[in-house]
Amino acid sequence: SWHLLSDSEQKILRKLSIFRSAFTSHAASEICGASALDLANFADKSLLYRRLDDRFEMLTTFHQYVADKLEANEYEYTTIRTEFCEYYARLCVQKLAEITSTNQRQALDVMTAEMDHIRNAWGLMVDTDRWDLIDQAKETILAYHVIYAYHVQGREFFHLALNKLRKLDSPELDLIRASMQQRDAWMTIKYGYVNEGLAGLIDCIQIFRRYDSHWEIAMTLQFLAEANRRLGNLQQAKDNIEEALTHIQHETVSSSNYHEAYAAHCRSLLGLVLLDMGDFEQARINFHASMATHNLLGSHYGTIHPLLGLGRLAFNQGEFLQSRDLYLKAMDPAVKTYDQHPFSLLHNNLGAV
């Protein structure tokens, strides 16, 4: 049946083989130049299968056959690989703004549906040294995996890039290498290896300070604050998070929903540290400040942490009904993001109440 296809049809199918799993018509059009008519024609010929969610996919055996033909054409393969990587880098940039907005749920759903392709694109970016695209996509990759507590899967992204960058050992790549090390270390901390991750953060913050990279310094300090809080180093954690807030407010850090949401998250973390230190009033002030920002942005996920903090504060002060109501209120944004991690915390806290 392959030889009965026109040259144009064969070319489009070769390009479509860049997708290893089901894809949207939009992605097929943007990356491969496949029209809706082309896709319908291929579906009619049973060369593509159209799913109930309107995504298309090739059968495994046919996909391998066509992919081999694509890779045999070096120019065509190089070109489509570039288009594929650039498309998914743009998608990540677009979704970063939406993740910290009232469209958060829809943005996360899109990221979940496209994650196989994003992972493949990331691997191709690493293979072809497209560090500019890695730099564009990194924030969204981090945010997505933190929101869903997919820490092992998130680390795989950053560890892959970090291993390649360490082999290159090029001074002009210092910042992106430190950025990958920072995120790799943070994911390591999040799934329990705190001391191992802490060492990585201490290494990379020195590079960020050398380059006056205020945003990366702020992120690293926030990660250090949480690590130190877990280790019981409360004064160090407080110093870390207060310094992080000063760097976020630096004039070189652009103003965006993402940065505003991140600053609000830092306020929540500062509130938790102050709560652990027994400074209940300042903790309350920071939790409310964080809540106000997240409510303004419409970022459902962000409101979970200050609500958890306020619930714990009320519990510590013997206000058990108020504590219960705050925990129950936090259930709603947890449901909206389908995040399982807060559910376990909320149920544990409600049980204590």
Side-chain angles (χ1 to χ4, degrees), residues 158-216:
F158 304 119
H159 200 67
L160 178 69
L162 180 59
N163 282 341
K164 175 72 177 289
L165 285 160
R166 280 173 171 163
K167 291 175 184 175
L168 295 176
D169 193 26
S170 177
E172 61 265 26
L173 296 174
D174 278 351
L175 275 175
I176 190 67
R177 186 184 307 110
S179 179
M180 293 301 103
Q181 182 179 7
Q182 174 212 62
R183 288 156 176 80
D184 176 83
W186 180 229
M187 294 291 99
T188 301
I189 289 169
K190 292 294 278 185
Y191 67 78
Y193 295 92
V194 180
N195 286 313
E196 180 185 339
L198 193 61
L201 292 176
I202 291 170
D203 284 345
C204 66
I205 199 170
Q206 296 172 1
I207 297 171
F208 295 140
R209 290 192 190 280
R210 189 191 316 155
Y211 286 92
D212 278 338
S213 181
H214 291 277
W215 172 245
E216 296 288 2

Side-chain angles (χ1 to χ4, degrees), residues 283-293 306 310:
R284 186 191 311 278
I285 290 170
N286 279 280
F287 288 140
H288 279 297
S290 177
M291 274 286 296
T293 300
L310 287 166

Side-chain angles (χ1 to χ4, degrees), residues 56-216:
F56 294 85
E57 61 184 337
M58 288 185 189
L59 294 177
T60 304
T61 50
F62 182 60
H63 177 270
Q64 187 58 58
Y65 175 79
V66 181
D68 288 344
K69 290 188 172 296
L70 174 65
E71 291 178 21
N73 186 324
E74 184 177 352
Y75 174 77
E76 197 170 85
Y77 180 52
T78 300
T79 302
I80 199 64
R81 186 173 58 189
T82 300
E83 293 289 341
F84 185 78
C85 291
E86 291 179 350
Y87 175 86
Y88 283 103
R90 289 194 304 273
L91 180 72
C92 285
V93 172
Q94 176 191 346
K95 295 307 165 188
L96 182 63
E98 295 177 15
I99 283 174
T100 49
S101 74
T102 54
N103 295 324
Q104 184 178 64
R105 175 69 265 151
Q106 296 94 316
L108 290 170
D109 286 343
V110 170
M111 288 292 294
T112 298
E114 297 292 341
M115 190 49 62
D116 282 348
H117 298 315
I118 292 170
R119 187 179 294 107
N120 291 336
W122 183 276
L124 290 172
M125 293 173 201
V126 171
D127 289 343
T128 57
D129 296 332
R130 287 300 305 268
W131 306 113
D132 56 325
L133 299 182
I134 293 282
D135 194 46
Q136 291 174 32
K138 65 184 181 183
E139 300 290 10
T140 316
I141 300 299
L142 179 68
Y144 175 84
H145 287 90
V146 167
I147 287 173
Y148 281 128
Y150 295 157
H151 303 130
V152 174
Q153 297 93 324
R155 183 175 183 264
E156 289 172 356
F157 276 86
F158 304 119
H159 200 67
L160 178 69
L162 180 59
N163 282 341
K164 175 72 177 289
L165 285 160
R166 280 173 171 163
K167 291 175 184 175
L168 295 176
D169 193 26
S170 177
E172 61 265 26
L173 296 174
D174 278 351
L175 275 175
I176 190 67
R177 186 184 307 110
S179 179
M180 293 301 103
Q181 182 179 7
Q182 174 212 62
R183 288 156 176 80
D184 176 83
W186 180 229
M187 294 291 99
T188 301
I189 289 169
K190 292 294 278 185
Y191 67 78
Y193 295 92
V194 180
N195 286 313
E196 180 185 339
L198 193 61
L201 292 176
I202 291 170
D203 284 345
C204 66
I205 199 170
Q206 296 172 1
I207 297 171
F208 295 140
R209 290 192 190 280
R210 189 191 316 155
Y211 286 92
D212 278 338
S213 181
H214 291 277
W215 172 245
E216 296 288 2

